[in-house]
Amino acid sequence: MGRRPFIIDCDTGTDDAIAIMAALYCDQVEIKAITSVNGNVAHKYTSQNNLDLLEYLGFDDIPVAKGADRPMLGNFFHADGTHGSTGLGSITLPKARKKTFDDQIASELIYRIAKEEKGELELLVIGPMTNIAICLLEHPDLKDLVKHIWFMGGAVIGGNVTTTAEFNIWVDPLAAHIVTQSGIPQTMVGLDVTTAAAMKEEHSARIRACGTKAGTLCADLLDYMFIRRDQGGEDALMHDAMAFAAAVYPECLECKDYYVDVEYTGEYTKGHTAVDRRGKLGRPANMSVALKVDEDRFCSWLMDAVRKSAG
Ligand code: BDR
Ligand code: CA
């Protein structure tokens, strides 16, 4: 079987960067493009991080496109307390010198590649969903061209920004509503599972030992997260890499089909993913929702995924 074509749409971001590396070295997939969105940090940083990362790791042929610099409706808010002022924690990558941004904006590049791939394209969406929603509004036939969306976002219960909202969904709840209601097959990997597995120092040490640029960078990002954790911040949670694991290593997750919609108006509940676990809404399931993760399997998979950069 050939490699599955993917686009990664992201707000890079410490854990986004690790998810990207896991995907770049995965022999099941071919990364067709990386597109950026406002989110963890301002769009100028998420875009530059993608460009710098790909040039640094030598992926000269993968297009990098700029996307939306603000939500369609929502909260212009950044998570620089978690990801550092430019998104990669304490790490500064060399500025890309050869690689330039694609001429097309993210939504147009996604649509073009979706047409080229004739229904086979899969999207890994690990930031606010603005680019995908814009693409759906501009090109309604996108819904028939995308095979599956794997997204990090939401939660069955709770949130990490408000009592009921997870960051990616909360930043642009209208975009998330549009995407979840699009009819595209999708899998939601939310906080219920992403907060149930954290990378440890032993993983970082083994990743570093592979000696590659990617291994060193990943270990540096993890070590930044350990310091953050020890100072009372977020643990070394791999929110975004877990959405990629759902696509290529589903054995580490337990998922169930539900109807899900996103609240985009509520005073207290804006950005809440309403997961209809009891079938109260009487609507057919529109996605698969990750409910449980096997922490050991996931962390070992991720460690090996980045160690593959050693060839
Ligand atoms: C999500 O928000 C960002 O901070 C992470 O990169 C992840 O995509 C977790 O809520
Ligand atoms: Ca992210």
Side-chain angles (χ1 to χ4, degrees):
M1 211 175 77
R3 291 178 179 235
R4 294 155 57 186
F6 265 75
I7 291 177
I8 305 177
D9 185 65
C10 50
D11 59 338
T12 313
T14 49
D15 67 315
D16 302 70
I18 294 176
I20 291 170
M21 287 189 268
L24 288 172
Y25 299 105
C26 174
D27 54 16
Q28 295 178 50
V29 306
E30 180 179 357
I31 305 304
K32 294 282 178 184
I34 300 205
T35 54
S36 58
V37 68
N38 162 72
N40 283 324
V41 283
H43 174 256
K44 66 175 178 185
Y45 296 123
T46 63
S47 306
Q48 191 66 42
N49 288 343
N50 288 340
L51 202 67
D52 295 346
L53 181 64
L54 288 219
E55 179 163 314
Y56 181 65
L57 297 177
F59 288 89
D60 298 339
D61 297 337
I62 298 180
V64 172
K66 290 184 181 178
D69 65 359
R70 66 199 62 208
M72 298 172 91
L73 163 83
N75 306 280
F76 212 98
F77 174 87
H78 299 128
D80 41 9
T82 302
H83 297 271
S85 57
T86 57
L88 296 180
S90 51
I91 289 106
T92 307
L93 287 174
K95 279 266 167 299
R97 292 172 52 181
K98 292 176 292 176
K99 207 166 170 64
T100 54
F101 291 108
D102 198 85
D103 293 341
Q104 289 189 295
I105 57 163
S107 51
E108 290 306 311
L109 184 66
I110 291 168
Y111 183 58
R112 177 167 68 74
I113 294 175
K115 281 194 295 185
E116 284 167 9
E117 295 301 325
K118 300 185 173 57
E120 290 303 311
L121 182 67
E122 298 176 56
L123 302 179
L124 176 66
V125 180
I126 53 178
M129 294 179 166
T130 320
N131 291 333
I132 317 302
I134 291 173
C135 192
L136 279 161
L137 294 180
E138 301 273 333
H139 304 288
D141 58 325
L142 183 77
K143 72 173 181 5
D144 303 315
L145 294 170
V146 172
K147 188 170 188 178
H148 203 98
I149 293 176
W150 310 89
F151 72 88
M152 189 287 135
V156 177
I157 296 169
N160 60 358
V161 184
T162 71
T163 53
T164 56
E166 179 278 332
F167 179 81
N168 288 342
I169 306 296
W170 182 80
V171 168
D172 197 346
L174 177 58
H177 164 73
I178 291 168
V179 173
T180 56
Q181 302 312 297
S182 65
I184 298 174
Q186 46 200 286
T187 295
M188 165 175 148
V189 177
L191 297 173
D192 318 280
V193 283
T194 67
T195 56
M199 295 293 273
K200 309 285 182 308
E201 279 80 350
E202 74 222 42
H203 301 120
S204 173
R206 289 195 53 201
I207 291 171
R208 190 180 294 285
C210 78
T212 61
K213 276 183 168 180
T216 305
L217 174 58
C218 182
D220 286 347
L221 288 164
L222 289 171
D223 291 351
Y224 163 80
M225 293 178 181
F226 300 142
I227 293 169
R228 181 180 73 192
R229 173 200 65 195
D230 294 344
Q231 291 175 346
E234 185 170 287
D235 204 344
L237 302 178
M238 299 290 107
H239 303 283
D240 293 343
M242 203 177 286
F244 184 58
V248 296
Y249 184 51
E251 296 83 355
C252 71
L253 291 165
E254 271 179 45
C255 299
K256 208 166 167 193
D257 291 348
Y258 290 116
Y259 177 77
V260 180
D261 199 351
V262 174
E263 177 65 70
Y264 59 94
T265 53
E267 185 182 354
Y268 298 111
T269 55
K270 190 159 31 159
H272 170 60
T273 40
V275 179
D276 190 16
R277 281 178 300 164
R278 293 172 198 273
K280 297 285 187 199
L281 299 173
R283 298 190 186 146
N286 59 353
M287 68 182 71
S288 174
V289 178
L291 299 176
K292 267 194 188 163
V293 62
D294 182 327
E295 181 176 20
D296 288 343
R297 290 180 93 178
F298 169 73
C299 290
S300 300
W301 165 82
L302 182 56
M303 184 176 69
D304 291 343
V306 179
R307 283 167 58 85
K308 285 197 182 129
S309 58

